[in-house]
Amino acid sequence: MSLLTTLSLAWRALWRSWVRSLLTMLGIVFGIGAVIAMVASGQGAQQSVREVFQSLGTNVLIITNGAGPSFGASGGAGSRQSLTWTDLSRLSSGEISSIRWVAPVLQTRTQISSEESNWNTSVLGSTADWFRIRNWTAERGVVFDEDTGRSTAKIAILGQTVVKQLFPSSDPIGQTVRIQGQPYEVVGVLTSKGQGPMGDNDDTVIIPVGTHRQKLEKGVANYIRGQILVSMTSDELAESTMAAITANLRDWHKLADADEDDFRIRNPAEFAKAQQQSTERIATLLALVAAVSLFVGGIGVMNIMLVSVIERTREIGIRMAVGARPGDVMTQFLVESMSLALLGGVLGLALGALAAKYMAGYFGWKMFFPATTAAVAFLVSGGVGVVFGLYPAIRASRLDPITALRYES
Amino acid sequence: MALVEMRGIERTYKMGDNVVAALRGVDLTIEAGTSVAVMGTSGSGKSTLMNVMGCLDQPTAGSYHLQGRDVSRLSRAELAEVRGKMIGFVFQSFNLLSRTSALENVELPLIYQGIPARERHRRALAAIEQVGLGGRADHHPSQLSGGQQQRVAIARALVGDAPIIMADEPTGNLDTRTAHEVMGILRGLVGQGKTVILVTHEADIAAHASRVVTLRDGLIIDDRQQTPVVVEVAA
């Protein structure tokens, strides 16, 4: 019996009772769907962790102003002005050996314009080290050096998205952009970093930190109204570096032992890891769902195939009478259960892809469709069909043609 | 060499602690191109004899040579192949696959002989023509009358070019007129060189055969030649 004939026989038998076939498939559909969703979410989460590293640079700590009490109510992180420019220069002094670079980050969201267009973006004030920490270079022009970074020069470096908006048709280098009415000369354009966990990395403008303090904050207060980025020589030193910074800042801020920290230090790598762990938990749960669904789905296939063998006893008898060997009958039922399971697998792939898409949207990951896993899942569903279809198929093949022919349904 | 050669065929069944002998030593030789009616009352062993002769069952003892080949000790798969090549069955209850067209029903034996689809199709159509059902090839059994269904079954028995047509009460579910039409077709096959073995308890059906073998209690008690009745040509 040719493969094609066997397949068409199986499909027709399944199609004949399509509602039943569909219901039987459900377990496998959900099983395979869960597998796909699991792997897709795992990859999405890993990718988002990678993006965190990529956009922030590796081995980075972020120091922010702490939550200040204002008449008993906590104002939330950053509400208190506590980090000073003196803190910044002391941190840069090399006193803590695991600190490599330190950069202040002042951030203002504002309207900027060129001759051609205008755009609302985030304007960062920082220094030369910021580019090193974020491992970001100029595609055209230059980034800040030690001097220009600290100066009050009215120069700006643009991200790719800003370039696209403000200079759609011309080279921005040497041209002027206006930030809150003030003209700045564009000295550099950054390479593209694309989408990050915090949105479009390229939608930004960087100006010298001195300029930011003078022009955008209109004053040169002692406090840093922003963050300090610290890069470490090694990721393994994160704990000790954080402890050292904490001790120093508490000392410099003259905090008593009973006082809470008036600053916060965050380790984005830790955050990313925590996120990864939580997705791993989801993945474990999905794996469990997948295993249980596939097993129950397999039992469902077996059950329906057993029913089918009984219902079609007479058909089996007829086939045997006209020359079907036990092997032919077994193959027919095996191919049928396998087709049922494979079809369930395909629907499961579709369901999994949908779930992956939904999760990607919900968690802000990139959508992944794990092709290798899909192929494996497809084979697994076929395997479920064969394994659970084996017993009914063997029962069908062992039927005695005489008894089967006499069977009254 | 005779087509069917049975020597000392016994077939016993175990029913709980009892051993029931359905056939108790049957010797039967059938030459190719003849028609034989196997008669007997219910329980005489005629169905068992048909099952053994049709290779649906194996004898407990004795030898059975079909076209010279010993088929009394074969595996189930080998028996299936012998059935496919040597025997076309026609049953009392037609035994067609429902929700399957006449054409596909007739194609069925060819599927298991590994014959390609195009060839299957061609041969099945020819067999359907031969039983006078041309134009109804795409009908399902439920759309056909009893006589027509039995003709489809005969076409199925013919399509594999098996030398033996084994008909088990082929007219049991048909009215008299249709029964004679069906018998007419079967007799026509004998004229074309087929060997037709009829299993029946009706004397007027057995009258269509040129030889009548009668069984009782698992033994042949009568075996005689006769002149088949004249078939009236249906108007």
Side-chain angles (χ1 to χ4, degrees):
Chain A
M1 190 148 90
S2 79
L3 189 69
L4 209 69
T5 314
T6 317
L7 272 177
S8 87
L9 264 177
W11 285 102
R12 284 178 51 180
L14 294 179
W15 180 244
R16 208 168 273 168
S17 43
W18 65 272
V19 176
R20 189 162 91 177
S21 304
L22 206 66
L23 290 174
T24 309
M25 279 175 218
L26 276 183
I28 291 170
V29 171
F30 284 116
I32 297 294
V35 170
I36 296 299
M38 171 184 79
V39 176
S41 66
Q43 287 189 354
Q46 259 173 20
Q47 175 70 13
S48 85
V49 168
R50 266 200 300 277
E51 276 172 357
V52 167
F53 283 128
Q54 210 183 0
S55 61
L56 283 169
T58 46
N59 314 336
V60 173
L61 298 177
I62 302 169
I63 311 173
T64 54
N65 286 301
S70 60
F71 306 107
S74 178
S79 61
R80 183 172 182 178
Q81 298 290 310
S82 57
L83 296 172
T84 68
W85 295 99
T86 320
D87 292 339
L88 178 74
S89 46
R90 280 174 167 175
L91 284 172
S92 336
S93 68
E95 205 174 310
I96 302 171
S97 61
S98 58
I99 290 182
R100 201 166 172 197
W101 294 306
V102 179
V105 182
L106 302 178
Q107 189 169 2
T108 308
R109 197 153 187 102
T110 185
Q111 204 74 16
I112 70 170
S113 60
S114 68
E115 300 275 304
E116 295 179 63
S117 180
N118 72 88
W119 182 244
N120 189 292
T121 188
S122 108
V123 177
L124 299 185
S126 198
T127 59
D129 278 346
W130 186 84
F131 296 94
R132 297 194 186 106
I133 293 170
R134 297 205 57 181
N135 189 25
W136 213 346
T137 54
E139 183 190 76
R140 277 172 284 164
V142 294
V143 298
F144 301 149
D145 59 25
E146 298 306 327
D147 292 334
T148 52
R150 285 180 214 285
S151 73
T152 55
K154 290 205 272 183
I155 52 177
I157 295 167
L158 309 185
Q160 294 277 353
T161 304
V162 176
V163 171
K164 260 181 225 130
Q165 294 298 330
L166 294 187
F167 299 98
S169 56
S170 57
D171 183 4
I173 303 289
Q175 298 214 48
T176 301
V177 292
R178 288 188 172 269
I179 303 172
Q180 291 187 355
Q182 300 276 342
Y184 289 74
E185 189 196 346
V186 177
V187 295
V189 172
L190 292 170
T191 55
S192 175
K193 279 207 183 203
Q195 286 291 328
M198 263 72 98
D200 184 0
N201 280 313
D202 298 330
D203 189 5
T204 190
V205 171
I206 298 98
I207 62 174
V209 69
T211 315
H212 196 284
R213 288 174 73 190
Q214 202 178 62
K215 300 298 175 190
L216 299 185
E217 295 183 11
K218 319 263 198 231
V220 279
N222 285 333
Y223 292 108
I224 299 175
R225 293 189 204 169
Q227 308 171 332
I228 299 174
L229 285 187
V230 173
S231 93
M232 298 168 288
T233 49
S234 157
D235 197 24
E236 281 141 39
L237 298 171
E239 290 289 312
S240 63
T241 311
M242 281 168 86
I245 295 172
T246 305
N248 276 315
L249 283 176
R250 286 184 68 89
D251 184 28
W252 298 335
H253 293 179
K254 301 188 170 56
L255 296 178
D257 287 349
D259 292 342
E260 279 180 36
D261 292 346
D262 57 357
F263 54 88
R264 280 182 60 196
I265 308 176
R266 283 188 291 135
N267 184 351
E270 286 298 317
F271 173 73
K273 271 182 205 151
Q275 200 188 8
Q276 196 171 14
Q277 273 166 6
S278 78
T279 55
E280 271 164 14
R281 272 196 293 276
I282 296 176
T284 314
L285 195 71
L286 280 172
L288 207 70
V289 170
V292 171
S293 313
L294 280 178
F295 185 73
V296 173
I299 299 281
V301 168
M302 178 145 82
N303 181 40
I304 224 67
M305 291 313 292
L306 282 173
V307 171
S308 182
V309 168
I310 290 169
E311 279 178 351
R312 286 152 69 190
T313 299
R314 194 151 186 149
E315 175 193 328
I316 296 165
I318 295 170
R319 289 181 184 276
M320 285 179 159
V322 302
R325 288 163 292 256
D328 291 325
V329 173
M330 190 166 116
T331 309
Q332 184 187 339
F333 279 89
L334 263 188
V335 168
E336 210 170 301
S337 62
M338 199 172 74
S339 303
L340 191 67
L342 281 179
L343 200 62
V346 170
L347 292 180
L349 292 185
L351 185 77
L354 268 178
K357 199 173 166 215
Y358 175 78
M359 283 201 294
Y362 186 79
F363 290 109
W365 300 327
K366 255 187 206 151
M367 156 79 183
F368 276 95
F369 187 73
T372 321
T373 315
V376 172
F378 187 71
L379 291 179
V380 165
S381 62
V384 165
V386 170
V387 168
F388 288 93
L390 202 58
Y391 174 60
I394 288 174
R395 271 184 65 155
S397 73
R398 289 210 178 139
L399 282 176
D400 172 32
I402 301 163
T403 325
L405 278 169
R406 254 189 244 133
Y407 184 83
E408 297 289 341
S409 50
Chain B
M1 180 185 65
L3 183 60
V4 169
E5 247 188 296
M6 292 180 139
R7 290 287 166 267
I9 292 291
E10 289 174 28
R11 181 70 173 98
T12 53
Y13 297 98
K14 266 198 172 149
M15 308 273 255
D17 291 337
N18 299 334
V19 176
V20 179
L23 294 177
R24 298 186 297 158
V26 170
D27 298 316
L28 185 62
T29 305
I30 297 173
E31 297 298 331
T34 59
S35 57
V36 181
V38 178
M39 289 198 71
T41 53
S42 164
S44 62
K46 66 179 193 300
S47 287
T48 307
L49 182 63
M50 188 205 81
N51 288 338
V52 172
M53 215 188 303
C55 292
L56 287 166
D57 197 4
Q58 296 244 274
T60 317
S63 77
Y64 174 22
H65 286 80
L66 189 58
Q67 222 168 41
R69 180 182 179 190
D70 186 357
V71 293
S72 49
R73 301 285 177 269
L74 293 183
S75 71
R76 283 166 47 103
E78 287 167 324
L79 277 179
E81 272 174 56
V82 172
R83 284 197 297 273
K85 283 200 192 95
M86 300 290 295
I87 297 149
F89 287 96
V90 178
F91 299 99
Q92 175 174 7
S93 49
F94 320 137
N95 275 337
L96 298 176
L97 297 184
S98 57
R99 285 184 286 187
T100 306
S101 72
L103 183 71
E104 286 167 302
N105 265 292
V106 174
E107 276 185 29
L108 205 57
L110 303 181
I111 286 179
Y112 297 107
Q113 290 173 32
I115 290 167
R118 191 182 294 261
E119 170 82 357
R120 279 205 310 259
H121 214 70
R122 192 185 61 72
R123 282 172 66 177
L125 271 177
I128 288 175
E129 288 284 341
Q130 198 183 338
V131 297
L133 279 182
R136 287 204 165 78
D138 56 343
H139 284 44
H140 286 198
S142 58
Q143 298 167 304
L144 296 171
S145 71
Q148 288 169 333
Q149 288 188 54
Q150 197 58 303
R151 288 185 202 209
V152 173
I154 293 171
R156 183 179 64 192
L158 286 175
V159 76
D161 231 1
I164 301 175
I165 304 294
M166 189 154 284
D168 182 13
E169 304 280 10
T171 59
N173 286 355
L174 301 176
D175 60 71
T176 314
R177 202 186 133 204
T178 318
H180 280 281
E181 275 171 28
V182 165
M183 287 318 297
I185 294 174
L186 287 175
R187 283 184 65 174
L189 298 177
V190 181
Q192 292 162 32
K194 301 277 183 205
T195 306
V196 175
I197 299 169
L198 282 169
V199 178
T200 185
H201 66 275
E202 289 178 66
D204 43 333
I205 294 303
H208 287 275
S210 56
R211 179 179 168 196
V212 179
V213 174
T214 311
L215 270 86
R216 190 197 293 161
D217 298 331
L219 286 169
I220 293 176
I221 52 159
D222 188 39
D223 185 351
R224 57 193 161 79
Q225 304 287 327
Q226 66 178 23
T227 310
V229 289
V230 178
V231 180
E232 310 134 48
V233 179

